[in-house]
Amino acid sequence: MLLASVTQDDAARAMCIWEAPSLDGLQQLLDGAFGDAVVNDCFVADPARSVNLPAARPEAAQA
C-alpha cells in the first residue's frame, strides 16, 4: 500500500513510502510494473531514526 509520495519540482525523481509484507516482494512489484523506465531503490525504514512515519496498521503486522 502506498502511504505517501513526494516528487522533485521537475518530476525527475520521487520518493514513495510503502507498507509491504517484504522488501523483496515490493522490489519485484515495482520492477515488474515499471521495468527499465525507472530505477527503484528499495530499503527498510528504521522507525527509531525516522520522523513522522505513519503508524503501523495492526492487520499489516499480522500478515
Side-chain angles (χ1 to χ4, degrees):
M1 171 190 290
L2 179 61
L3 300 176
S5 67
V6 294
T7 58
Q8 188 171 319
D9 59 352
D10 65 358
R13 288 191 256 182
M15 178 176 282
C16 301
I17 299 175
W18 293 87
E19 183 175 297
S22 74
L23 180 62
D24 290 337
L26 178 60
Q27 185 76 56
Q28 290 175 4
L29 173 81
L30 295 174
D31 290 347
F34 297 106
D36 292 335
V38 300
V39 174
N40 295 299
D41 182 17
C42 297
F43 60 92
V44 176
D46 181 354
R49 293 184 175 104
S50 302
V51 177
N52 292 334
L53 284 179
R57 295 178 303 144
E59 63 272 17
Q62 295 172 359

